[in-house]
Amino acid sequence: MTDTTTRFAPSPNGFLHLGHALSALTGFRAARDAGGRFLLRIEDIDLTRARPEFEQAIYDDLAWLGLTWETPVRRQSEHFDDYEAALARLDRLTYPCFCTRKDIEAEIARSPAAPHGPEGALYPGICRHLPEAERRRRFDAGEKYAVRLDVAKAMAIAGPLHWHDRLKGDIAADPASLGDVVLARKDIPTSYHLAVTVDDALQGVTLVTRGEDLFHATHIHRLLQALLDLPVPDYWHHGLIRDAAGIRLAKSKGAPALRDLRAAGMTAEEVRARADSA
Ligand code: GLU
């Protein structure tokens, strides 16, 4: 098969750790073994967190690991118009959400039966059925709003959906398990879910390789593909590298950066071996 296209899509808001190395290597090897293409995408929609030194470190770390990728690299912050166009197509299935994090937490605390999904409490729907006059009043008052997908409405249009995971087989999509996700944030005209789905299609990605921490996100991505008439890639949600205490490596939990491991004398060969044994 020569039409395999994979990608590694890091966010430049920290340095890469071993978990990223595993993701990048999985995508790179899958493309290489199939005689296909390996792409790199910089997921920097959150301009407040993205930093050029982190982006440069991504290139340095991947090159050190022996990876090569096609250029030019797609940088999401240069393509907000693509995400806005996709969002406009979903207009009748979305609604403005004026809630603050506090509003949402208070509502969840008030309703003990608030629905929960694999990633915690779901958005409790406060703004889903706001009367039009109320929406208008809040727009006019200049209140900031996010745009949420009305998942129930969207699923009614899309019908039952499936995707294929290379490790887990055929998966029935369950987008409702994530609730009315945000498609455009108050401060950013898109969201992870929308940008990643649009880009994987635009870049012709045929196999999405990423950690299983993002497995559930695929339920929503599959729904967005159906709503936007996008091709459906194959998925490979690989296992995660955990520390000695069994906790998955994460920037937020202080996982050692590849560049620090390198400075401490770890070789690229050792990193590749660590990824292989994960
Ligand atoms: N940008 C995401 C991250 O760094 C990964 C997105 C993906 O692979 O779908 O966690």
Side-chain angles (χ1 to χ4, degrees):
M1 217 171 54
T2 53
D3 62 351
T4 298
T5 299
T6 65
R7 52 44 164 203
F8 176 54
S11 303
N13 52 23
F15 294 116
L16 302 186
H17 52 62
L18 279 171
H20 294 111
L22 172 58
S23 270
L25 283 162
T26 304
F28 177 77
R29 288 167 170 171
R32 188 197 53 198
D33 295 349
R37 307 164 59 208
F38 175 64
L39 312 177
L40 174 61
R41 184 166 73 230
I42 299 296
E43 302 217 318
D44 60 348
I45 57 171
D46 189 341
L47 297 169
T48 61
R49 297 180 67 209
R51 298 226 303 261
E53 59 270 35
F54 292 138
E55 184 176 332
Q56 185 55 50
I58 289 170
Y59 303 135
D60 296 345
D61 288 345
L62 296 182
W64 174 68
L65 277 175
L67 273 52
T68 50
W69 54 91
E70 283 190 11
T71 52
V73 168
R74 183 171 171 96
R75 199 184 278 124
Q76 290 189 321
S77 60
E78 292 167 359
H79 299 281
F80 283 123
D81 48 345
D82 286 330
Y83 316 131
E84 280 165 326
L87 188 64
R89 290 183 56 196
L90 299 173
D91 193 39
R92 299 218 314 271
L93 302 172
T94 60
Y95 59 89
C97 173
F98 300 92
C99 291
T100 61
R101 196 172 296 224
K102 258 191 173 160
D103 295 333
I104 297 173
E105 280 165 9
E107 178 64 22
I108 290 167
R110 244 195 315 273
S111 41
H116 278 64
E119 290 172 357
L122 304 185
Y123 175 66
I126 306 167
C127 289
R128 191 185 301 125
H129 301 298
L130 279 189
E132 198 44 46
E134 166 83 355
R135 276 187 189 153
R136 188 66 31 226
R137 186 187 64 69
R138 297 175 81 162
F139 286 140
D140 292 347
E143 264 190 64
K144 287 193 161 191
Y145 59 92
V147 178
R148 287 187 182 272
L149 181 67
D150 185 329
V151 165
K153 230 190 216 178
M155 282 169 60
I157 289 181
L161 300 168
H162 291 253
W163 86 81
H164 182 258
D165 183 281
R166 292 232 171 145
L167 299 184
K168 294 196 171 141
D170 183 56
I171 307 289
D174 180 17
S177 64
L178 278 89
D180 288 358
V181 293
V182 168
L183 295 186
R185 287 166 41 172
K186 283 184 178 174
D187 51 341
I188 301 173
T190 184
S191 67
Y192 161 65
H193 293 306
L194 184 62
V196 86
T197 305
V198 167
D199 279 353
D200 283 336
L202 268 176
Q203 294 191 282
V205 172
T206 61
L207 172 63
V208 171
T209 55
R210 60 184 172 205
E212 65 185 16
D213 51 324
L214 288 168
F215 182 87
H216 296 289
T218 306
H219 291 306
I220 283 292
H221 302 176
R222 181 65 192 89
L223 176 59
L224 292 174
Q225 286 154 4
L227 300 172
L228 293 166
D229 294 317
L230 302 177
V232 183
D234 219 18
Y235 287 88
W236 178 347
H237 293 97
H238 60 74
L240 304 174
I241 298 189
R242 297 179 187 276
D243 65 15
I247 310 282
R248 123 176 127 81
L249 297 187
K251 287 176 226 186
S252 55
K253 307 231 166 57
L258 286 177
R259 57 182 353 231
D260 294 334
L261 296 173
R262 177 161 80 239
M266 193 166 181
T267 64
E269 190 49 53
E270 283 164 341
V271 172
R272 287 193 290 265
R274 179 79 177 79
D276 285 341
S277 65

